Amino acid sequence: MTDARNRLMLVVAALLLLSGCQPGHFDDALPTTFDVIDLIRSDTDLSVQQKREQFAELGLSPLMINVMLQDETFGNQYGGDEVSAWQKVSGERFTELTPDEIQIYADAAVRADENVSIDITDAEAQAIVDLFAEYEISSPDDLSDFIADPTTEVPSSITEATLQELFIDFDPDKILDLLP
């Protein structure tokens, strides 16, 4: 409870500073916004998604949050978690996936099925997001149709095999046991 109260106080202090409310002669009593950001970034008790949420509460833009979390594999490209990734894949909402969710989903697939061996980089995840958005690919059937269409081509930065294995062949329900 004390940690939560301290975090709340830091967030309130940061919001006051960001809103232009100057602390007057109490300059040393309140932490600077940079101090609050550093506290959030270094808090090992917070998940990456919780850090994203706290940065958003400070008023940082999603792009700035990506910069703040640039060293976090699953937090530097608009975030997400296993639940949000699973919901979007199983709900046939591929166009809503973030690059982080694609990496999280691939990681969960590897942990859930010993036959899956996919490691998706930030660049590959972004290329997949771009592909899904450009061709409005929302489901395994949409992706199968795209791959089968001789007039379309998978970008060279990702492989057809990766798309096939992760989004067509792999059953998203296999990761249900991994979800919180």
Side-chain angles (χ1 to χ4, degrees), residues 122-142:
D122 285 353
E124 290 167 327
Q126 184 62 57
I128 292 170
V129 165
D130 294 343
L131 176 74
F132 289 169
E134 182 178 349
Y135 292 96
E136 297 179 8
I137 297 170
S138 292
S139 68
D141 289 340
D142 292 347

Side-chain angles (χ1 to χ4, degrees), residues 3 10 28 35 45 48 87 92 113 118 124 146 159 167 172:
D3 285 342
L10 290 173
D28 295 332
D35 292 335
D45 292 333
V48 175
Q87 288 173 333
E92 298 189 346
D113 186 337
I118 297 173
E124 290 167 327
F146 173 82
T159 67
F167 295 103

Side-chain angles (χ1 to χ4, degrees), residues 1-122:
M1 175 124 170
T2 303
D3 285 342
R5 185 179 298 143
N6 288 341
R7 286 189 191 121
L8 178 60
M9 293 302 293
L10 290 173
V11 169
V12 168
L15 290 174
L16 289 172
L17 289 171
L18 287 172
S19 68
C21 181
Q22 298 300 317
H25 67 280
F26 298 104
D27 286 337
D28 295 332
L30 295 175
T32 68
T33 303
F34 294 114
D35 292 335
V36 174
I37 288 170
D38 190 49
L39 284 172
I40 294 169
R41 285 179 66 185
S42 63
D43 190 336
T44 57
D45 292 333
L46 294 175
S47 71
V48 175
Q49 191 59 25
Q50 290 169 323
K51 290 178 184 182
R52 288 192 74 81
E53 291 165 5
Q54 288 200 8
F55 286 142
E57 289 173 9
L58 288 176
L60 298 179
S61 71
L63 187 58
M64 182 57 73
I65 294 169
N66 287 346
V67 172
M68 293 293 125
L69 297 173
Q70 66 186 337
D71 296 330
E72 300 278 357
T73 302
F74 299 134
N76 61 356
Q77 291 180 291
Y78 303 101
D81 56 32
E82 288 175 338
V83 173
S84 64
W86 176 82
Q87 288 173 333
K88 291 174 184 178
V89 172
S90 66
E92 298 189 346
R93 299 182 351 243
F94 292 6
T95 57
E96 296 177 23
L97 287 163
T98 68
D100 283 331
E101 288 171 328
I102 288 174
Q103 289 179 297
I104 291 165
Y105 182 69
D107 183 63
V110 168
R111 288 185 289 123
D113 186 337
E114 63 187 30
N115 297 317
V116 176
S117 61
I118 297 173
D119 184 30
I120 296 179
T121 66
D122 285 353

